[in-house]
Amino acid sequence: MIPILLGVTLLTFVLFNMLMKDPASRFAGRHATVEQLATIRAELGLDRSLPEQYFLFLKQIVTLEFGRSWSTKQKISTMIDDGFSATLCVTVPPFIAAIFVSIALAMATAYRRGSWFDKSMVVACLAFLSVSSLVYILALQWGLAYKLGWFPISGWDPSWTGRWSYLILPWIILFVLSLGVDILLYRSVILDESYQDYVRTARAKGLSGVQVYSRHILKNALIPIITNVVIEMPFLITGSVLVENFFSIPGLGGLLVKALNESDLPVIKAMTVIISIAYMVFNLVADLLYSAADPRVRLG
Amino acid sequence: MTVATANASTVAVPSSRNSLWWDAFRRLKRSRIAVISFVVIVAYVVIALLAKFGVIFADVSVPVGAQYLPFSGDHPFGTDVLGRDVLGRAIHGAATALSVGFIASGIALLIGITLGALAGYFGGWVDNLIVWLYTTVDSIPYILLIPSLTFVLGRGLINVYIAVGVTSWVTLCRLIRGEFMKHKGRDYVLAAEVLGASHLRRIFRHILPNVAHLGFVQFGLGFVSAIKIEVILSYLGVGVDPSTPSWGIMLDDAKLELARPFWGNLIAATLFMFFLILAFNLFNDALRESLDPKLKNK
């Protein structure tokens, strides 16, 4: 964990402090004076030696003091705080809802395997996966918010009571987007289980199809399903980048994309590192949860 | 498969008609879906090449009429804000997308195979270093890493190739490393060593042909994700230059045009992307099945 953490900071450092050609003049524009450039370089610490710059960068990460945004002059640490709560508000509810709905739909398709219902579900999922997620967001935002006016087109309210009305449409979109992959995967998992010997035994002792599916197959299929849910957990941090961008939600990803468009270097740097660290923490939590769910897995 | 060859200079790939490759090809040919999707992919490549070399839709950067013309026989998807033919832009967008898929996953293939082979074959500190490297790259979500990289390098098609290529080799590297660890102790490799084959010879002439099928499957998967990423990058404004035709830029334009309403950009980009990605997804599935030794003789 620690070497990887250092690796992530090192990679970000190489990217922004070494690979990037003269960020000061890129920010200040072509008409900047020599003094202006020097001020910006000093502010970024670019006038110091590379090891010194790296040390300063590590200090920024540990203290969470990344300075202020170039474009909004806001403190970056506040932006990160608010960004976390916004992102998790967007991603957690659809994530949980999608787990249950896709398991239910996968069970239904697997139970009726070979029927027109199963076949059309599979074809629909495959077709669904072949369209860029941008198109779904674009279409749903246009249709439900602009044309029908059921939801606000975009926007955000930082207060906890005011933000929910802005969240419903992003929830719907993220929920819909995660269904296609999961249904296909869970269907194949459940089908694999349905050919096992214990299924034949359960049938032989006279259980009905529904009983076999709900009591025997589902329990065994849950292990690979939990694996997949766990693998998808880091998406709670990164899964909403596009949706946040479309709906101007100041979550972590939305802030990053905005900063990329405004060449707001301090924000880009801070967001890349912070999101990566959060992503790693979620991966770690996922591993722990996984070993708790499946007794056969031991963390070595 | 692990029978030692008498002569270290013979290639490890059996060239008879019973080889894994020949088998895979036969199985692939039998699957109707695989053949149809392959034809679709080839059609895309041919159309993109024809457009690239100016045979059809030679210059799509010049206006052909007024802006936002409705759909018509001459311009099936109408014209965009600058009066350019949307169909031509979409076809040139296919060329952009295919080139990103091909070159970026080519770069990833090269890096993944080389590093994976070195790590798995040599072990020790080489292995530790490479595992550290790919775990690090894998810890930064690609949806941040790739835009940050194109931001640092600057917009442009070549930088998209580089950014996507140098970030998407991790899965392949992991797989190849595992296979090399398995293969390096097998009899045929030991026999080659006894006969005096150098390390490089053992890696590239003996082991690599036995694990190369993983590269094929990953290349196909990487192709699809590279195309999807190019569209997202260009949409976000950190991908190709705005003057380069790209489905992502068409979707970005469409965002503001839906209120007019003008549907050309959205429909054209979506349809062109849909058939290419669908064909690739189906073909990849068939390819993976046909190369899976477990399904042999089925």
Side-chain angles (χ1 to χ4, degrees), chain A residues 3 15 26 130 142 246 261 279, chain B residues 132 139 149 151 235-236 258:
Chain A
L15 198 62
R26 194 153 147 190
S130 304
W142 177 83
F246 267 91
N261 284 325
Y279 185 75
Chain B
W132 173 78
S139 298
L149 208 52
F151 168 76
Y235 169 81
L236 291 176
L258 289 187

Side-chain angles (χ1 to χ4, degrees), chain A residues 218-230:
Chain A
L218 181 60
K219 264 188 199 161
N220 284 286
L222 271 184
I223 292 168
I225 289 176
I226 290 174
T227 312
N228 181 58
V229 170
V230 161

Side-chain angles (χ1 to χ4, degrees), chain A residues 3-4 7-8 11 15 20 26 127 129-132 135 138 142 146 238 245-246 256 260-261 268 275-276 279, chain B residues 132 135-136 138-141 144 147-149 151-152 228 231 235-236 255 258-259 263 266 270 273-274 277-278:
Chain A
I4 306 299
V8 169
L11 198 66
L15 198 62
M20 191 158 175
R26 194 153 147 190
L129 287 177
S130 304
V131 177
S132 171
V135 174
L138 205 67
W142 177 83
Y146 174 81
T238 58
N245 174 253
F246 267 91
L256 179 80
L260 282 171
N261 284 325
I268 301 174
I275 300 179
S276 306
Y279 185 75
Chain B
W132 173 78
T135 322
T136 301
D138 205 29
S139 298
I140 305 184
L144 309 184
S148 300
L149 208 52
F151 168 76
V152 168
K228 287 182 168 173
V231 171
Y235 169 81
L236 291 176
K255 191 181 177 183
L258 289 187
W263 292 85
L266 179 68
T270 308
M273 228 182 130
F274 175 78
I277 304 269
L278 185 66

Side-chain angles (χ1 to χ4, degrees), chain A residues 29 54 61 66 70 74 87 101 105 109 130 148 152-153 156 173-174 188 191 200 219 232 234 239 257 261 299:
Chain A
Y54 182 58
I61 297 168
F66 291 96
W70 280 350
Q74 223 183 337
T87 294
V101 173
L105 285 174
T109 50
S130 304
L148 296 171
I153 292 177
W156 183 248
I173 290 172
L174 280 181
S188 75
L191 278 184
R200 200 180 316 130
K219 264 188 199 161
E232 285 177 349
V257 172
N261 284 325
L299 292 178

Side-chain angles (χ1 to χ4, degrees), chain A residues 7 44 71 119 133 146 218-219 225 227 233 243 281 287:
Chain A
L44 287 171
S71 64
K119 280 179 190 153
S133 46
Y146 174 81
L218 181 60
K219 264 188 199 161
I225 289 176
T227 312
M233 272 189 62
V243 170
V281 171
D287 281 350

Side-chain angles (χ1 to χ4, degrees), chain B residues 29-186:
Chain B
K29 225 172 38 179
R30 266 211 307 263
S31 152
R32 200 184 305 156
I33 290 181
V35 174
I36 294 174
S37 20
F38 187 70
V39 169
V40 171
I41 295 169
V42 170
Y44 265 92
V45 173
V46 169
I47 291 174
L49 284 176
L50 286 179
K52 208 73 211 160
F53 291 106
V55 184
I56 51 169
F57 297 99
D59 193 359
V60 288
S61 57
V62 289
V64 292
Q67 68 171 20
Y68 297 128
L69 285 179
F71 298 2
S72 65
D74 282 345
H75 310 293
F77 292 105
T79 57
D80 68 1
V81 60
L82 297 174
R84 300 171 302 190
D85 181 34
V86 173
L87 176 65
R89 303 288 293 174
I91 287 177
H92 278 258
T96 306
L98 286 169
S99 75
V100 171
F102 197 74
I103 297 174
S105 45
I107 295 175
L109 189 73
L110 220 63
I111 302 178
I113 286 192
T114 313
L115 292 184
L118 292 178
Y121 184 82
F122 288 111
W125 66 268
V126 180
D127 187 36
N128 288 340
L129 186 71
I130 291 172
V131 170
W132 173 78
L133 185 67
Y134 74 57
T135 322
T136 301
V137 172
D138 205 29
S139 298
I140 305 184
Y142 77 91
I143 195 133
L144 309 184
L145 186 57
I146 298 176
S148 300
L149 208 52
T150 48
F151 168 76
V152 168
L153 298 172
R155 281 180 103 161
L157 195 53
I158 297 192
N159 291 335
V160 173
Y161 297 151
I162 298 173
V164 179
V166 300
T167 49
S168 20
W169 49 271
V170 173
T171 317
L172 177 64
C173 182
R174 230 179 231 147
L175 291 170
I176 295 281
R177 170 177 171 267
E179 288 298 306
F180 263 78
M181 284 161 71
K182 260 194 283 177
H183 277 265
K184 71 177 174 191
R186 292 214 173 140

